[in-house]
Amino acid sequence: MEFSTQTTASLHQIKTAALAVGVFADGILSPSADTLDRASNGALRDVLKTEFKAKANTHLVLRNLPGVSATRIILVGLGKQDRYNAAAHIAGELTFANYCVKASVPEAVSTLASIECGNSTLRARTRATAMVTGRATYQYNATLSKVDHEPAPKLKKISVWINRTQATEAQIGLREGQAIANGMNLTRLLGDLPPNICTPTYLGNTAKKLAKEFKTLKAEVLGTKEIEALKMGSFLSVARGSYEPPAFIVLRYTPTGAKPAAKNRKAPIVLVGKGITFDAGGISIKPAAHMDEMKYDMCGAASVLGTLRAVAELELGREVIGLIPSCENLPSGRANKPGDVVTSMSGKTIEILNTDAEGRLVLCDALTYAERFKPAAVIDIATLTGACVVALGHINTGLFSTNDALAESLLQAGRETQDTAWRMPLDEAYQEQLRSNFADMANIGGPPAGSITAACFLSRFTRAYPWAHLDIAGTAWRSGNDKGASGRPVPLLVQYLLSQAS
Ligand code: BES
Ligand code: MN
Ligand code: ZN
């Protein structure tokens, strides 16, 4: 996909296959719609009187409008003007991008980002345009036989129409949005791939491939022997239940350019992603219904890879390190059993009361490993608990942190990219639920506040640095008819890292 800006004043003279203009409910035209209406002697307003109510998520195609050079004008419904905001802008761009893909349009021009909304900047709006357009062109066909799958989207070029003086700001936003979209699409593909293909080894190879593509990325993939040498007894106890070998992936981004003096160098930010490529629950096996969806239990890992891809594409001015503990969680003669006590890399012992609470068992060792980087912040991303889906549904990612400043930066990044998170409590009082008679802690805290006690468990391994945890169990994929990975929370993470790089 190629993004560019158009700054020609005469909108009606733009030659394109599809030109999007925004319309609000009650016949209110956006400035660009108004311009075209005048160029076409009121042809546009006539249509609004009868045929188009401009509700959100609707559009109307107008062909051969007199006095207008574009082949088609796409009227994009934006809903009520007084409720227009960043989310409504994104919905409008998505409606347009989806139309372009369906209609096999090869290139198009959108004027939607030129519409002011709330206190959003043009940069944020063009970022959203590129993000959404890139997202609309994602198509899974990796495992569909050639005859069956749909032809690849024809859409190759989107141009954003804006005021001449704003071109630079708009281009910065487009570049960011494109990098985010590319990152999200990698994250989505890894999530959607079946678990017999997307194994820990496959994730490791993906990291190595990224390191080949971007000189600023270095990948290291540790196998069983090396993980044993690190004494990651908790991670290994989960991995042991499967024939599929585990992988501990370290993907490191180092900015290029003049090497800053060691003392000026900012400490790195570490991202830790849960990489369970299939979670059957282990001996505490899950029910059969929807168990296929547990291929998505590596979406935290996938979001770390997608985010690092975006960071490399953007040539971010800050060091970022991705850590991925990856394995399968299966029942077998070598699997964890309820009652087993394992020793984590930190030396703390854990009584495994439910083998299905495996995410925290692999993450805790990665969080201990993170200490060696003396990080400015560590953020883990995990499809950790069904309880988080109960609490927040599929709208907000659950955010847990003991550090208010870090929490606020992440919430802000989520708001700016419409990839929102909601902060959950993490009071000391919940820690009590993890008490064990036979180890330093149990790996479950009972039914009450399941997503919080999971975060409490992780917090015990994060005392050496500022830390936040994102529970993406409800937001990483959609179930049902259009089952598929969402690419979240790549926008939130990239936006946060951008905010920390300047
Ligand atoms: N990967 C699951 C969490 C999950 C479940 C995410 C459903 C999305 C949808 C995790 O490993 C798990 O099984 N968690 C258990 C924890 C429990 C045993 C304390 C859960 O949520 O039921
Ligand atoms: Mn589980
Ligand atoms: Zn899991």
Side-chain angles (χ1 to χ4, degrees), residues 376-377 399-413 415 423-427 465-469 496 500:
L399 165 67
F400 303 79
S401 182
T402 40
N403 185 302
D404 290 343
L406 176 57
E408 193 40 56
S409 309
L410 289 166
L411 290 173
Q412 177 61 19
R415 283 190 289 264
R423 190 169 178 188
M424 301 279 283
L426 201 59
D427 310 51
Y465 42 69
W467 161 79
H469 157 60
Y496 165 75
Q500 299 304 303

Side-chain angles (χ1 to χ4, degrees), residues 81-100:
Q81 188 179 30
D82 55 4
R83 278 200 228 142
Y84 189 62
N85 57 17
H89 168 234
I90 288 182
E93 298 279 18
L94 190 60
T95 300
F96 178 54
N98 282 338
Y99 166 78
C100 291

Side-chain angles (χ1 to χ4, degrees), residues 307-332:
T307 298
L308 275 147
R309 195 203 182 283
V311 160
E313 186 177 330
L314 287 171
E315 297 173 338
L316 195 86
R318 177 119 191 212
E319 194 180 359
V320 184
I321 299 166
L323 301 178
I324 295 170
S326 181
C327 67
E328 292 183 333
N329 184 30
L330 300 185
S332 87

Side-chain angles (χ1 to χ4, degrees), residues 274 279 281 286 294 297 329 355-359 384:
K274 173 178 173 183
D279 179 13
K286 288 181 182 295
M294 281 299 114
D297 214 17
N329 184 30
T355 66
D356 198 10
E358 86 298 340
L384 202 63

Side-chain angles (χ1 to χ4, degrees), residues 67-333:
V68 175
S69 303
T71 314
R72 314 170 181 79
I73 299 300
I74 317 301
L75 298 182
V76 177
L78 301 176
K80 292 221 188 289
Q81 188 179 30
D82 55 4
R83 278 200 228 142
Y84 189 62
N85 57 17
H89 168 234
I90 288 182
E93 298 279 18
L94 190 60
T95 300
F96 178 54
N98 282 338
Y99 166 78
C100 291
V101 171
K102 273 224 178 81
S104 296
V105 167
E107 54 71 40
V109 178
S110 173
T111 65
L112 301 182
S114 67
I115 306 170
E116 307 270 340
C117 65
N119 49 11
S120 84
T121 59
L122 178 68
R123 177 176 169 183
R125 294 199 299 273
T126 54
R127 184 196 299 135
T129 307
M131 214 170 88
V132 163
T133 309
R135 226 168 66 188
T137 54
Y138 172 82
Q139 198 183 70
Y140 179 86
N141 48 35
T143 46
L144 304 177
S145 66
K146 291 257 177 340
V147 273
D148 286 344
H149 70 68
E150 304 218 340
K154 295 247 169 8
L155 189 61
K156 290 286 173 298
K157 271 190 198 168
I158 289 271
S159 192
V160 169
W161 182 82
I162 36 117
N163 201 311
R164 188 178 301 277
T165 56
Q166 303 171 305
T168 315
E169 191 191 346
Q171 275 150 13
I172 293 172
L174 287 175
R175 184 165 171 264
E176 290 170 350
Q178 175 156 37
I180 293 172
N182 290 341
M184 288 174 87
N185 286 347
L186 171 63
T187 301
R188 293 174 73 178
L189 173 61
L190 292 171
D192 287 338
L193 278 171
N196 59 333
I197 292 178
C198 188
T199 58
T201 307
Y202 189 93
L203 289 179
N205 288 341
T206 303
K208 286 180 192 161
K209 231 170 91 186
L210 282 175
K212 274 224 177 87
E213 195 178 341
F214 296 95
K215 294 248 155 11
T216 48
L217 290 176
K218 265 184 69 180
E220 212 184 330
V221 181
L222 312 185
T224 307
K225 286 259 153 56
E226 289 142 306
I227 302 168
E228 271 166 7
L230 286 164
K231 296 197 158 64
M232 293 183 164
S234 182
F235 172 29
L236 277 169
S237 78
V238 179
R240 212 175 40 219
S242 167
Y243 285 110
E244 202 58 61
F248 188 85
I249 304 166
V250 184
L251 184 59
R252 192 169 187 150
Y253 169 79
T254 318
T256 48
K259 275 201 185 122
K263 62 173 188 258
N264 289 339
R265 218 181 109 234
K266 280 195 186 163
I269 295 170
V270 174
L271 305 177
V272 179
K274 173 178 173 183
I276 299 294
T277 59
F278 191 73
D279 179 13
I283 296 296
S284 315
I285 198 164
K286 288 181 182 295
H290 307 294
M291 206 206 264
D292 66 291
E293 295 190 10
M294 281 299 114
K295 72 173 181 178
Y296 290 115
D297 214 17
M298 37 56 71
C299 282
S303 76
V304 170
L305 294 172
T307 298
L308 275 147
R309 195 203 182 283
V311 160
E313 186 177 330
L314 287 171
E315 297 173 338
L316 195 86
R318 177 119 191 212
E319 194 180 359
V320 184
I321 299 166
L323 301 178
I324 295 170
S326 181
C327 67
E328 292 183 333
N329 184 30
L330 300 185
S332 87

